[in-house]
Amino acid sequence: MQRLTLEQFHQAEKLPLVVVLDDVRSMHNVGAVFRTADAFRLEAVCLCGITGQPPHAEIHKTALGAEDSVDWHYYATALQAVEDLKSDGAEVLAIEQAEGSAVLSHFHPQKGQRYAIVLGNEVKGVHQEVVDACHGCLEIPQFGTKHSLNVSVTAGIAIYHFSEEMRA
């Protein structure tokens, strides 16, 4: 399968995409995001507010060690993470159903641009002040009776879209 070693992963070029988790309460969701971030070789994950941090047994159970390969940072609030990422030149987008949001599949990231996507709490979503601080919102169309997806599923869909667009 020719998997990278941990050292090779740390030295390898990363997709210029950061995932920001805004008060994600489930350690299993956090672990799943780490595992997806590893699979697509993302730049980093920002853990904000009540979002759990490694080392944690429940994160490790789902991440399967990806918490050791993917760079991560902790912020007291997602707003702080967004402000730092913006000041570092990242275009920051909330993945949220909001007025004026763009459909994810219609969004085409620009090569050479660094991006960050913000994913919110499993019940409340992304804090409104964080949405307001972002450059925009992207949403995943849904056609069933529920109006939201699990945060780790949303992360997987969004990360895959960015990877396909930016690596094309």
Side-chain angles (χ1 to χ4, degrees), residues 52-115:
Q53 304 164 54
H56 194 286
E58 287 184 38
I59 292 173
H60 181 73
K61 182 177 181 178
T62 313
L64 296 177
E67 71 277 27
D68 298 324
S69 57
V70 177
D71 286 342
W72 63 272
H73 313 280
Y74 176 76
Y75 288 87
T77 69
L79 186 58
Q80 291 173 326
V82 167
E83 289 170 351
D84 280 0
L85 288 160
K86 286 171 64 176
S87 70
D88 285 343
E91 182 171 336
V92 183
L93 302 161
I95 308 296
E96 188 64 76
Q97 297 170 349
E99 190 172 323
S101 63
V103 174
L104 176 65
S105 61
H106 297 166
F107 178 75
H108 304 289
Q110 302 299 308
K111 289 185 193 252
Q113 174 64 50
R114 183 174 178 230
Y115 290 92

Side-chain angles (χ1 to χ4, degrees), residues 11 15 36 48 83 91-92 98 103 138 142 145 160-161 164:
Q11 294 178 4
L15 187 70
T36 304
C48 306
E83 289 170 351
E91 182 171 336
V92 183
V103 174
L138 300 173
Q142 297 164 52
T145 62
Y160 179 78
H161 174 76
E164 285 291 293

Side-chain angles (χ1 to χ4, degrees), residues 2 9 11 13 25 27 34 36 40 55 64 69-70 82-83 85 117 134 141 156 163 166:
Q2 299 185 1
F9 184 95
Q11 294 178 4
E13 184 177 349
R25 64 184 181 184
M27 302 299 169
F34 267 105
T36 304
F40 289 94
L64 296 177
S69 57
V70 177
V82 167
E83 289 170 351
L85 288 160
I117 55 173
C134 290
S163 177
M166 295 173 82

